Amino acid sequence: MEILGIDIGGSGMKGGLVNIETGELVTERFRIPTPASRKPEEMAKVFKEITNHFDYNGPVGCGFPTIVKHGVCKSVSNLNKSWLNLDIQKLFSDACGLPVTVINDADAAGYAVINYGIGKNEQGLVLMITVGTGIGSGAFFNGKLIPNSELGQIPYKKYKKIEHYTADSIRKKEDLSFTEWGKRLNTFLELVETIVCPDLIILGGGVSKHFDKYEKQIRIETPVKPAELGNHAGIIGAAAAVSK
Ligand code: BGC
């Protein structure tokens, strides 16, 4: 069965059709930049453009970069404040005229690696850490999702949240080398290890494909592996979330 998965981030909104039996993306990924305002109405228009692009008629799965409870936005993170307490599921369903299931974007990416990727059959506490505009986390215990963990929100030194120190957007903004940035990532992972003591950490987002450039800076005891589904994990997991 093919389901449309849409992964919404602070810089891009990406969609693709996914075979949810195999976890494969069966179309090219289609990406539209996230509107600069990051406001609900404008983002809903882009959402509709993506469903139109695929000429799709069926349930849609969506990963969204905030806490999402029963389809409602419960934090604003890197989006416009007007998202808070808004029913994302209703907004997007009304915009495209299709049933939409919305979950947190890192939880969605985690679904993909746990069901089809490197996290398959892993026991214990497995964390999917997504590194992009912000830092997201998807926590899975014995393969089952513990939704809406927010490890990127840990305060660190002068930073209100450690994602303001370690996200990929910061690496780009401060023009950090992968070695410099890798040390920051290690600082974050050390905190994560101290707080939740995971059995495995899987790294997702665009930086996962450059893992060899900062692997040496990662010095924690917990095994850390890059998600081989890379940037597609969010789309694949979003689609898979529809049938969960
Ligand atoms: C948000 C998370 C999200 C992450 C990645 C953070 O700023 O708080 O909910 O998963 O960014 O997009």
Side-chain angles (χ1 to χ4, degrees):
M1 187 181 183
E2 289 175 5
I3 301 268
L4 178 60
I6 298 184
D7 180 26
I8 298 186
S11 59
M13 297 178 56
K14 299 140 273 185
L17 281 182
V18 178
N19 175 326
I20 58 160
E21 275 85 38
T22 62
E24 275 161 335
L25 198 61
V26 297
T27 59
E28 286 284 307
R29 189 180 80 135
F30 178 65
R31 181 185 188 276
I32 299 182
T34 305
S37 71
R38 295 181 181 165
K39 281 189 178 165
E41 311 71 38
E42 288 176 46
M43 287 174 67
K45 271 191 206 142
V46 173
F47 193 94
K48 180 175 163 50
E49 274 182 60
I50 298 175
T51 59
N52 283 353
H53 170 85
F54 289 99
D55 196 14
Y56 180 77
N57 195 0
V60 184
C62 169
F64 196 78
T66 67
I67 294 175
V68 182
K69 279 200 160 180
H70 311 293
V72 176
C73 173
K74 298 308 286 180
S75 68
V76 283
S77 309
N78 295 306
L79 299 183
N80 185 276
K81 285 196 178 63
S82 54
W83 275 104
L84 193 61
N85 291 322
L86 208 127
D87 189 334
I88 318 163
Q89 247 165 219
K90 184 168 182 328
L91 180 76
F92 287 165
S93 299
D94 289 350
C96 68
L98 302 169
V100 181
T101 304
V102 182
I103 65 168
N104 170 264
D105 58 347
D107 288 351
Y111 257 153
V113 295
I114 290 283
N115 287 300
Y116 314 108
I118 203 163
K120 200 167 178 176
N121 301 325
E122 290 285 349
Q123 293 301 296
L125 180 60
V126 179
L127 294 181
M128 172 75 176
I129 301 287
T130 61
V131 187
T133 306
I135 290 194
S137 55
F140 292 78
F141 188 69
N142 291 345
K144 199 165 168 16
L145 174 68
I146 307 163
N148 290 312
S149 64
E150 285 281 346
L151 294 171
Q153 307 298 300
I154 301 170
Y156 177 69
K157 291 192 175 168
K158 64 175 182 179
Y159 302 92
K160 211 171 142 201
K161 339 165 160 186
I162 199 162
E163 69 176 5
H164 291 161
Y165 176 68
T166 315
D168 196 35
S169 54
I170 305 295
R171 179 184 67 79
K172 291 178 183 155
K173 198 167 135 200
E174 296 186 18
D175 199 17
L176 301 173
S177 67
F178 273 111
T179 307
E180 290 167 317
W181 175 79
K183 288 182 190 155
R184 293 190 181 197
L185 180 66
N186 187 59
T187 301
F188 167 62
L189 295 178
E190 274 174 354
L191 282 173
V192 168
E193 188 175 63
T194 306
I195 297 169
V196 289
C197 197
D199 294 288
L200 171 65
I201 294 178
I202 301 173
L203 277 184
V207 292
S208 56
K209 59 177 183 286
H210 301 294
F211 190 61
D212 56 327
K213 297 185 184 139
Y214 54 85
E215 192 178 358
K216 281 207 190 80
Q217 276 67 53
I218 311 290
R219 291 162 188 269
I220 60 169
E221 253 181 61
T222 313
V224 178
K225 297 180 184 171
E228 77 288 42
L229 298 169
N231 247 342
H232 293 163
I235 297 175
I236 295 169
V242 167
S243 59
K244 293 286 157 195

